[in-house]
Amino acid sequence: MAQPQPQNVFAPWADPAEKPLIRFEGVTKRFGDFVAVDDLNLDIYEREFFALLGPSGCGKTTLMRMLAGFENPSEGNIWIGGQNMKGIPPNRRPVNMMFQSYALFPHLTVWDNIAFGLRREGMDKDRMRVRVDEMLRLSRLEKFAGRKPHQISGGQRQRVALARSLAKAPKLLLLDEPLGALDKKLRQDTQFELMDIQEKTGTTFVIVTHDQEEAMTVASRVAVMDHGKLVQVATPAHIYEAPETVYVADFIGDVNIIEGTVIPAQGNRVDITYAEGKPPIRAATDKTLVPGQRVSFAVRPEKILVSREMATERTNAVKGRIEDIAYLGNISTYHVRLDSGHLVSAQMTNRNRLERREFTWEDEVWLSWTETAGIVLTE
Amino acid sequence: MNGRLTWFNVTSLTLGFAFLYLPMLILILYSFNESKLVTVWGGFSAKWYGELLRNEQFLDAFWVTLRVGLISSTLATVLGTMAAYVMVRGGRFFGRTLFTGMIYAPLVMPEVITGLSLLLLFIAIGLDRGIFTIVLAHTTFSMCFVSVVVSSRLVTFDRSLEEAALDLGATPLDTFRLVTLPIITPAVISGWLLAFTLSLDDLVIASFTSGPSSTTLPIKIFSAVRLGVSPEINALSTLMIAVVALGVITASLVSKNALRRQRREKQEAFAA
Ligand SMILES: Nc1ncnc2c1ncn2[C@@H]1O[C@H](COP(=O)(O)OP(=O)(O)OP(=O)(O)O)[C@@H](O)[C@H]1O
Ligand SMILES: [Mg+2]
């Protein structure tokens, strides 16, 4: 999966000389008996756009709150800019946070909400006015400057919260699901704005999101969490194309998982037997596997070709019957039942108009993919 | 609501209100009685109110009561708000449950006991009884009412607002001053009004803790009535009813407003 790399690619995590901006060092957080964050080690570098992904309740907010100083780790240390944060209260940390619940001050206007942090800094009146107006323009809230939070819409409130946390131009900005309440168009615009802000200010962002598309769009690196642990930390492309575990593969995007046993073949290939009397799946892998080992073969739907005739130029080809078709406009997902009983999804772009579609329900089709289309996972 | 006025509803409403307000109505009526005899109606007149204004003793008592009320309710509001804040926000410190219980205990303590124990304390530490001791006593017993009112507002207060203020660089004190206090102000005001009204009303505790030079109005009225009810007393009582009614109405308006605002905040949270 070696891709041509552009010059001067931004990858401080790959450089051993680089000092991290944030370092989690064996951090554990317990609430009573419940372990919300479990012995976590993580480095985040300056100018990164770091996305935290994971199911609800896996500890994302808790991690953020420890960075901001609202919770103390039960064990371990957190370093920001080389300084141990132990005992440093939230108001003296170089961190601003945008809250999942926005936490706008209900008794202050939009303008005063945004100015709140600048006032605490003791910024002089003129500079503050300029700065707040700039923030209002950025978040397209000029018209609402004089309103109270209960007089604006949910999406506007979210933008106020964002503007308020950005106003102080912090070294590190924590965003807890910042764009959840925005419609798709506005969300994309805001994503690009965030990236733009980051380009200009060099702020480091840590962002929590439930939207993996968002994580893929904005993040320099993505961390997938589960039950208070980091499962994998890598670039979006790497996480998508080379997930290390079935959990990650399944969490990011759609994937077909087929379980089977390994028979090593020549080169760095393996054959995976997944059903009695069926030809095995042949896949390329770097892993050293022993014969008979149980593995999962993961292949994304868009890497599978659907055709009426057997596609001979591809190593793997199986026959099945279309059970269901999900039409999404630009693409269609075909759910195909194999003779072996497995249900496999395959995705095709809709090059023809709907009424001239090639395949329909109950059609017998061939599914085919190359050796390198999928990956072999051992856990 | 199917709010039809059936004869049953009308009767029970009339009876209930008559029970509550007939005595007061009679008192107010007789305060405008021309005759010196309380039980005989001699025509309408406001002359007893004029008499009242010339009665030095009553005027003195009035000023004492007002001063005690203002000072003690203000002190009680400050202390009660602080106590409420610690109880709701203090986290789990050692002895918190005990502390909370002890704050609320005076609510159910018989006033005689509160008064007596305060009297014993003042004697023990050699404090001369006067306005100062009444103020202390009233602060003590009305403070817990304030803390009940304020803490019930604080428990519904969105904690993340305070965190946001801290996050934006406000010190804990600034956070309280700029965020917490403005939002709980309606509750603090109703607490103050409640404390003020309680202080105005109090007879039992004041009679334990007052000195010869400092008599409050309720004490004055009580001792005057023992010598016979005079129309002047009726006039005075009518004035007190007016003041208390004003206080209660203001308090309920303030808290109604606050409730409306709170509901709005909640809607906001839902919308979010
Ligand atoms: N103050 C607390 N006391 C007890 N348990 C808590 C506390 N705060 C969080 N938890 C628990 O810790 C776990 C992680 O919570 P956290 O808020 O970090 O989840 P999250 O990943 O942000 O979830 P979501 O995506 O739903 O926001 C949850 O199971 C939660 O119930
Ligand atoms: Mg969360």
Side-chain angles (χ1 to χ4, degrees):
Chain A
M1 247 156 289
Q3 289 165 354
Q5 295 273 321
Q7 294 292 303
N8 293 325
V9 70
F10 175 74
W13 51 87
D15 180 359
E18 193 79 33
K19 290 252 182 310
L21 176 67
I22 303 169
R23 164 160 280 177
F24 285 90
E25 202 176 58
V27 172
T28 298
K29 177 68 190 175
R30 287 189 212 90
F31 295 108
D33 288 339
F34 182 79
V35 183
V37 172
D38 192 1
D39 190 23
L40 185 129
N41 293 293
L42 174 65
D43 287 349
I44 298 174
Y45 296 84
E46 207 159 307
R47 305 183 75 92
E48 263 207 85
F49 210 124
F50 194 89
L52 278 171
L53 239 68
S56 185
C58 70
K60 305 181 294 289
T61 299
T62 307
L63 205 64
M64 296 276 226
R65 290 174 58 80
M66 285 195 287
L67 266 179
F70 300 128
E71 308 279 0
N72 294 315
S74 312
E75 275 162 40
N77 289 301
I78 296 173
W79 305 76
I80 298 179
Q83 193 189 0
N84 193 336
M85 285 291 125
K86 192 164 269 175
I88 296 187
N91 51 315
R92 292 207 272 115
R93 295 192 181 199
V95 179
N96 280 154
M97 176 155 168
M98 179 188 158
F99 288 73
Q100 201 168 4
S101 62
Y102 314 152
L104 299 179
F105 305 127
H107 59 297
L108 299 180
T109 61
V110 167
W111 204 95
D112 287 321
N113 261 286
I114 298 175
F116 190 91
L118 303 175
R119 286 219 170 90
R120 305 279 74 70
E121 244 174 26
M123 185 184 265
D124 70 70
K125 285 247 157 52
D126 294 330
R127 273 184 54 218
M128 184 167 75
R129 200 165 306 129
V130 171
R131 180 76 182 149
V132 174
D133 288 344
E134 186 188 335
M135 285 297 125
L136 284 171
R137 196 157 357 96
L138 193 74
S139 49
R140 293 183 223 157
L141 288 163
E142 295 108 317
K143 272 189 272 168
F144 309 103
R147 296 218 194 153
K148 296 274 182 69
H150 60 85
Q151 295 165 322
I152 56 179
S153 77
Q156 288 159 353
R157 256 175 248 152
Q158 197 164 44
R159 279 181 281 152
V160 178
L162 188 60
R164 186 179 68 179
S165 57
L166 278 170
K168 287 184 81 171
K171 201 153 72 158
L172 173 59
L173 192 57
L174 310 175
L175 306 170
D176 201 346
E177 302 201 30
L179 312 178
L182 305 183
D183 61 63
K184 186 159 181 168
K185 180 80 180 64
L186 193 55
R187 184 183 329 196
Q188 281 173 350
D189 288 354
T190 316
Q191 281 167 7
F192 285 120
E193 253 161 45
L194 281 181
M195 290 194 283
D196 200 42
I197 289 165
Q198 202 214 16
E199 285 281 300
K200 284 197 198 114
T201 60
T203 306
T204 307
F205 284 76
V206 178
I207 181 172
V208 168
T209 174
H210 270 133
D211 178 359
Q212 33 165 306
E213 203 179 308
E214 183 170 294
M216 303 301 255
T217 315
V218 298
S220 60
R221 278 192 304 163
V222 174
V224 180
M225 279 185 83
D226 186 29
H227 287 105
K229 281 188 188 307
L230 292 174
V231 192
Q232 190 174 358
V233 183
T235 61
H238 197 81
I239 283 255
Y240 189 79
E241 301 292 353
E244 278 165 12
T245 65
V246 173
Y247 179 84
V248 174
D250 204 24
F251 194 79
I252 310 281
D254 295 325
V255 70
N256 296 297
I257 305 277
I258 298 169
E259 286 176 23
T261 44
V262 171
I263 309 161
Q266 79 273 34
N268 48 4
R269 299 196 195 91
V270 287
D271 286 335
I272 302 166
T273 322
Y274 67 98
E276 200 115 344
K278 298 281 163 200
I281 296 169
R282 171 156 295 191
T285 182
D286 301 332
K287 297 196 174 80
T288 34
L289 301 166
V290 292
Q293 190 174 345
R294 293 293 295 177
V295 293
S296 300
F297 176 71
V299 59
R300 305 260 178 215
E302 73 275 11
K303 306 250 180 351
I304 301 180
L305 177 79
V306 185
S307 57
R308 197 153 313 270
E309 308 296 330
M310 187 172 169
T312 44
E313 74 282 6
R314 295 180 166 215
T315 319
N316 300 290
V318 289
K319 204 151 76 100
R321 181 190 296 274
I322 294 179
E323 251 187 23
D324 202 3
I325 305 173
Y327 175 70
L328 299 173
N330 53 343
I331 53 172
S332 287
T333 306
Y334 299 88
H335 299 281
V336 178
R337 180 73 66 186
L338 304 187
D339 296 343
S340 59
H342 291 86
L343 190 67
V344 172
S345 356
Q347 225 164 43
M348 303 278 282
T349 42
N350 293 323
R351 262 172 292 187
N352 295 329
R353 301 268 307 276
L354 191 58
E355 54 270 25
R356 299 188 50 229
R357 194 158 56 186
E358 261 182 281
F359 314 106
T360 182
W361 284 266
E362 297 301 321
D363 275 4
E364 292 270 342
V365 289
W366 283 90
L367 301 180
S368 54
W369 62 91
T370 61
E371 281 174 11
T372 52
I375 51 170
V376 181
L377 299 171
T378 51
E379 50 179 316
Chain B
M1 268 194 279
N2 41 357
R4 283 214 330 264
L5 283 180
T6 61
W7 65 268
F8 178 76
N9 285 355
V10 173
T11 317
S12 46
L13 203 69
T14 317
L15 269 178
F17 271 94
F19 203 78
L20 282 173
Y21 290 106
L22 204 59
M24 278 188 236
L25 209 66
I26 289 173
L27 183 118
I28 293 170
L29 207 65
Y30 273 110
S31 74
F32 293 105
N33 193 355
E34 166 79 54
S35 161
K36 176 123 184 96
L37 294 167
V38 176
T39 45
V40 181
W41 181 254
F44 180 86
S45 153
K47 78 172 183 196
W48 299 113
Y49 287 88
E51 282 294 303
L52 201 59
L53 286 180
R54 281 186 293 278
N55 187 328
E56 291 278 327
Q57 282 193 334
F58 278 138
L59 279 182
D60 278 352
F62 170 74
W63 288 119
V64 169
T65 310
L66 190 68
R67 254 154 62 204
V68 168
L70 287 177
I71 301 173
S72 72
S73 57
T74 307
L75 281 176
T77 304
V78 173
L79 290 174
T81 305
M82 276 160 57
Y85 193 74
V86 173
M87 279 189 303
V88 178
R89 284 295 137 82
R92 252 171 285 161
F93 58 88
F94 178 74
R96 176 182 163 171
T97 318
L98 186 69
F99 180 65
T100 309
M102 276 165 63
I103 291 261
Y104 291 152
L107 286 178
V108 291
M109 192 73 75
E111 289 189 346
V112 180
I113 294 179
T114 313
L116 187 64
S117 52
L118 281 164
L119 175 65
L120 290 178
L121 174 75
F122 293 146
I123 292 172
I125 59 175
L127 209 56
D128 277 341
R129 276 171 292 152
I131 288 191
F132 182 60
T133 48
I134 310 178
V135 167
L136 283 186
H138 280 183
T139 307
T140 312
F141 93 94
S142 56
M143 168 193 145
C144 53
F145 287 89
V146 176
S147 83
V148 170
V149 173
V150 173
S151 64
S152 71
R153 173 67 186 95
L154 277 175
V155 286
T156 61
F157 187 100
D158 183 3
R159 185 83 209 250
S160 62
L161 292 179
E162 287 166 353
E163 289 177 343
L166 286 172
D167 188 65
L168 292 164
T171 60
L173 192 67
D174 273 348
T175 301
F176 183 78
R177 194 167 58 86
L178 298 168
V179 175
T180 316
L181 199 55
I183 297 173
I184 64 167
T185 296
V188 174
I189 292 176
S190 0
W192 186 89
L193 283 167
L194 186 63
F196 184 70
T197 319
L198 284 170
S199 163
L200 224 57
D201 279 353
D202 169 68
L203 170 67
V204 178
I205 292 176
S207 52
F208 275 103
T209 52
S210 67
S213 61
S214 58
T215 322
T216 64
L217 267 184
I219 298 178
K220 197 86 219 163
I221 295 172
F222 188 68
S223 52
V225 164
R226 276 193 298 189
L227 305 174
V229 182
S230 74
E232 230 175 331
I233 296 283
N234 286 349
L236 182 59
S237 309
T238 304
L239 287 180
M240 280 187 73
I241 290 176
V243 171
V244 171
L246 206 70
V248 170
I249 290 171
T250 319
S252 80
L253 282 184
V254 167
S255 60
K256 207 182 210 167
N257 249 332
L259 205 69
R260 210 176 306 138
R261 189 169 323 162
Q262 220 172 319
R263 207 169 292 148
R264 220 164 42 195
E265 268 173 44
K266 219 168 260 166
Q267 274 170 354
E268 238 171 274
F270 268 112

